[in-house]
Structure formats: C-alpha cells, structure tokens
Amino acid sequence: MTSAVEANADGLIGPTHSYAGLSPGNLAASLNAGQASNPRAAVLQGLDKMKRLADLGLPQFVLPPHERPDIPFLRGLGFGGSDAAVLERTWKEAPTFAAAACSASPMWAANAATVTPSADSADGRVHFTPANLHTNLHRSLEHAQTKRALEALFPDPGRFAVHDALWPVAHLADEGAANHVRLCAGHGEPGVNLLVWGRDAFEAWDGPWPARQTRQASEAIARRHGASGAVLAQQSRAAIAGGTFHNDVVCVGALDTLFHHALAFEDTAGTHAAIRTAANGFEPIFVEVSEADLPLADAISSYLFNSMLVSLPGESRLTLICPTETRDNARAHAVAQRLVGSNGPIGRVEYVDVRQSMRNGGGPACLRLRVVLTGDELAATNPAMRLTEDLHARLAAWAGRWYRETLAPADLADPALIDESRGALDELTALLELGGGFYPFQRT
Ligand code: SUG
C-alpha cells in the first residue's frame, strides 16, 4: 500500500474582491450584489484558514490570484488606448464586461481543476484538468492562468499532468472539483471518483438557474485522466432550483464517508449503489441529512456541507471544518452537534471565519483544491508556494500594504486599481517564486 496525504491548495483572495452579483443561481452572491466589500479582511480570513489547516498538520499551498482587471480581455473586445482608458471606456460602454474583468473569482480554488491522484490514473501521474467555467462570463476568464499556476506548483511533468481545460463550449461546461468527490479506504489506495453533473449537453435545460456541469464534461475528464473507479451521478434538479450551483454546496466526502443532503442527487439510492459497486476493498459510509432535519434553504444559507471534511494525523475520526454561518444557523448547528455526539465517522466540528467569501457564495470548501500526493509527489511540489508560518506572516504583511480596506462596486472603475493590483502581484511573484512573465502585464 502506498501512503499518501491530502494536501490543500487555496486560492489567495485578490485585491479586487467585490460583490458584483455576477453568478445567477448563487443566492448569496445575488443577495449581496452592490454592497461594499473588504478585500483586506477577505485575504486575511483566507490566509488564517490556510494557516489553521497547516497547523492541524495538512500540507497547505497557496495559488496566486489572477491579474484583475483583465485588461487583455477588454482589449480583445476592441477597447484601445492606455490601460486606464480601456478600463474607463469599458465601464462606460460595456459595464457587464468590465465587471467580469474585475472579479476576484479565481479565489475559489475548488473550481480551479478536477484532480485525479496517481493511485487512480492510468499512467500513474497526478492529473489536473483546469475547469473551463464556461457558464459564467467572469469565471470563463480563469482557466489559462489557472493552468499556469498549477504548472508552477506541480512543475515535474514526469509526475504531474496539467492538461488544458476542456474545449470551452456549453456542451462541455465544467466547474472542476466542486463537482467531484473521491472516496477511498486510505488516500494512497485506489478510490471511487464520484463526478456529479447537472445537465446532459444534448437535452434542453429548463431549470430556473443554470446547470453548470454537463454529463459529457464529467465523462471527458474521467476518460482523459484514465480515472479508475469513476461513478457519474446526476445532481438533483430540485437542488439546482433551490440554489445549489455546485454539488459541493450539498455534499462533501473524505476517505470512506460521504456526507450529503437528501436532495443532493436525482437518484440517491442509485448513486449509493453505484458507489458501493465501485468501491474496491472498503464499505462506503453514507451520512445523509433529511429535508426535515435541515431544509435545503438552511443547508444553502448555513453551508453545512460546504465544509472541509478532513482526516487529521493521529485521529481516527474525521473533522468537519465549517464556516461560522453553520454555527449561527440553529438547525445546521444542531445537525453538526448530533454528528459529533453520535458514534459516526465525524468526530469533531470546528468553525472558521470566511465571511467575506461566504457573502459571494464561497465557503471553506470552495476556497481549496484537494490534491492527494504521495511522499515523492509532495517533495516534487514548488516549496515556495507552501504555506509556512513565515510565508503566512509575509503574505499578511504584503496584503496590509497593498489591499484596500473597503471597495464599493463603483470603485472597480478607478484606474488606480490597475496599478495597485499589479504592484501587489509583482511583489507576490517574487514571494512565491513564480518566475518571470507569470502575469500578462509582466509579459508586455
Ligand atoms: O462561481 N461566486 C462563485 C462562488 C464559487 C463557489 N465555489 C464552490 N461552490 N466550489 C461562483 O458562483 C460571485 C462573484 C460575484 O458575483 O461578484 C461568484 O463568482
């Protein structure tokens, strides 16, 4: 048996973190649209969560924010002149494109890619497919830079295969690991790869909100990664209609345990049966929460299931790391307490404050990409991107120097934000040793 660990790579929250209401069907983001954000508090909350996980003994990496505003994207729309003029004209003539170009959405690293560990892949490498995030304009701008960031973190092509995103077209709409759960007996052993899709690419979709993942995208990823133990399951239409824009809003899994809301899947019994059949050498445990115990609306507002479910060194039961919003919701809190009180697989619940991200619909699980790595693979990662006590302190000081305290949506049109953001990213390039030309502005 190969031993392996589950590392987390979190998206460092960028200087343009804002509430622009860009994601239809994401109820928190729509509710908070137009409010002022606090980018500095946001990045510090994210960094503190990373440190918490590192302190608990899990390898923790940092994925750098993307260049925003995305001036090259706006130039591609025909806006010309100086960078400041491009931004100013776009806000005047095409504000929706301008808002998309300013979003700090790469922070939600669960949407960065789908990952297949070496224990499950056909060629014994760790495979990554950056998500094309085709459904939302602002998120469709991410995948090329995400690929670059993954290549910086996982530089050895003998061990890591970083693919291009799936062809960016509606038929192959893909949202990455937010719709993937891996179950296994031990991280280094072959697992079940549960891939959850919302719609079939060739059937009409008539739900009130977009279904962001197609069955065909999930199939293509499993095929190109050579992923063993693949189980495809349909996300329930009721869940999407209720505001479940990703499966990880109602479902999380770790080792042999799948923790989910009763409305997560269109066919719960069929999904459980398929997982049981695919599970090689272990008996999966399903912890299902009923609609009576936690109505879907409370599951979504409290983000109980958008928690990190982790196996900590030396502990036999799993730990659930929830946002403080879960504690603030009486029903969700009661479910969490019951889990710990029972003799089930989850032995501990902890709370983290990621409120700035939560207000855009991004909980603790959205902010991280899980990557299962053997000892040799871990040793082959870029050490400068690993969060240590020292890097945490340096990044917190960096954010204090560069990030604004508050940012109203109208401030996104301020041309000074271009220089501020680039200044911050330039310094970050050195801090994380990302190499020359990592960002588009460094290549011109
Ligand atoms: O894609 N919010 C993100 C939240 C992503 C959460 N990720 C996971 N569940 N894994 C989204 O809807 C809102 C940005 C805005 O409206 O400005 C946004 O993109």
Side-chain angles (χ1 to χ4, degrees), residues 110-114 129-137 139-140 143 164-180 195-203 205 209-224 232-233 235 240 245-247:
N111 306 118
T114 308
T129 288
N132 60 31
L133 298 167
H134 182 271
T135 304
N136 287 303
L137 174 64
R139 304 222 59 182
S140 72
H143 64 86
D164 283 330
L166 293 177
W167 194 256
V169 65
H171 303 74
L172 293 172
D174 170 30
E175 299 276 322
N179 293 322
H180 171 231
L195 296 148
V196 184
W197 52 273
R199 68 181 166 88
D200 186 289
F202 299 100
E203 287 172 13
W205 173 254
W209 306 117
R212 298 196 196 179
Q213 181 92 25
T214 67
R215 176 215 277 263
Q216 287 75 6
S218 301
E219 286 169 350
I221 290 168
R223 198 159 42 229
R224 57 157 54 174
L232 272 91
Q235 196 178 3
I240 299 173
F245 52 95
H246 293 132
N247 176 62

Side-chain angles (χ1 to χ4, degrees), residues 34 46 76 78 83 96 159 244 260 312 358 399 405:
D83 290 342
T96 311
R159 297 184 188 279
T244 306
H260 69 88
L312 297 176
M358 280 290 289
E405 190 85 47

Side-chain angles (χ1 to χ4, degrees), residues 288-441:
E288 183 177 333
V289 178
S290 71
E291 175 72 8
D293 280 346
L294 187 66
L296 182 66
D298 287 275
I300 293 172
S301 62
S302 70
Y303 262 32
L304 170 67
F305 299 96
N306 198 263
S307 301
M308 300 174 68
L309 188 57
V310 290
S311 162
L312 297 176
E315 295 193 15
S316 57
R317 292 167 83 198
L318 299 167
T319 296
L320 190 68
I321 299 177
C322 301
T324 47
E325 284 77 355
T326 300
R327 197 173 46 195
D328 298 342
N329 179 303
R331 291 172 124 148
H333 189 232
V335 173
Q337 295 293 97
R338 267 206 304 279
L339 285 175
V340 178
S342 74
N343 219 6
I346 301 172
R348 187 143 69 100
V349 178
E350 294 210 5
Y351 296 93
V352 287
D353 177 4
V354 287
R355 283 180 196 277
Q356 285 288 316
S357 169
M358 280 290 289
R359 297 177 77 220
N360 251 337
C366 300
L367 287 162
R368 59 91 175 97
L369 182 68
R370 289 180 291 189
V371 188
V372 168
L373 298 167
T374 64
D376 287 349
E377 289 158 357
L378 185 61
T381 56
N382 180 351
M385 295 170 80
R386 182 154 179 182
L387 193 87
T388 56
E389 197 126 340
D390 176 56
L391 183 60
H392 176 270
R394 286 195 290 152
L395 289 173
W398 162 83
R401 277 198 307 281
W402 289 104
Y403 281 52
R404 294 192 188 188
E405 190 85 47
T406 57
L407 194 66
D411 298 335
L412 294 170
D414 177 1
L417 203 55
I418 303 175
D419 288 341
E420 267 169 57
S421 172
R422 289 179 181 174
L425 297 183
D426 225 13
E427 210 177 299
L428 185 69
T429 307
L431 274 173
L432 299 180
E433 295 177 26
L434 298 168
F438 182 75
Y439 289 108
F441 75 91

